[in-house]
Amino acid sequence: QVQLVESGGGLVQAGGSLRLSCVVSGNTFGLYAMAWFRQAPGKEREFVAITDWRDYRQVYADSVKGRFTVSRDNAKNTVFLQMVNLIPEDTAVYYCAADRQMQRAVTAPPGLEDFSSWGRGTQVTVSS
């Protein structure tokens, strides 16, 4: 069905930056909100950022506001997560996810149940 493939993770020192990408196939990409979640060892998967189907509205978790930027290129079926000023607490597997509903308004942090398709994740490790 819908396939999502993340890339761009790696090992970086605190204060560094990374850009994650997620390429999507199998759906009408430009009509669905796209989000990023992350999961650290021993912790629950948590919301990071989301952008709506037009890349007009974005919502971020408090923990990443001012440091992460989510964007998308609908012509390339790709969503990005630009991460700067990384801290060790950002260490996690990062997942992208496609909304289960077309053209949903983005006004608040979503829940896991709002997404129908997930990538397999990319590891981000931030050292002290």
Side-chain angles (χ1 to χ4, degrees), residues 40-94:
K43 296 185 178 180
E44 298 293 322
R45 190 169 299 188
E46 65 176 356
F47 167 73
V48 175
I50 186 170
T51 186
D52 72 6
W53 63 283
R54 299 176 296 176
D55 206 23
Y56 184 70
R57 300 293 187 190
Q58 297 82 40
V59 176
Y60 298 91
D62 289 342
S63 59
V64 306
K65 286 181 179 178
R67 299 189 299 117
F68 290 11
T69 303
V70 63
S71 62
R72 66 194 296 164
D73 185 342
N74 286 351
K76 297 181 178 180
N77 289 0
T78 304
V79 61
F80 305 95
L81 186 67
Q82 179 68 51
M83 307 183 294
V84 300
N85 296 323
L86 286 161
I87 58 177
E89 290 75 15
D90 295 320
T91 296
V93 177
Y94 284 70

Side-chain angles (χ1 to χ4, degrees), residues 27-42:
N27 71 353
T28 308
F29 177 79
L31 296 178
Y32 295 86
M34 294 293 301
W36 290 93
F37 290 76
R38 66 187 183 186
Q39 187 167 19

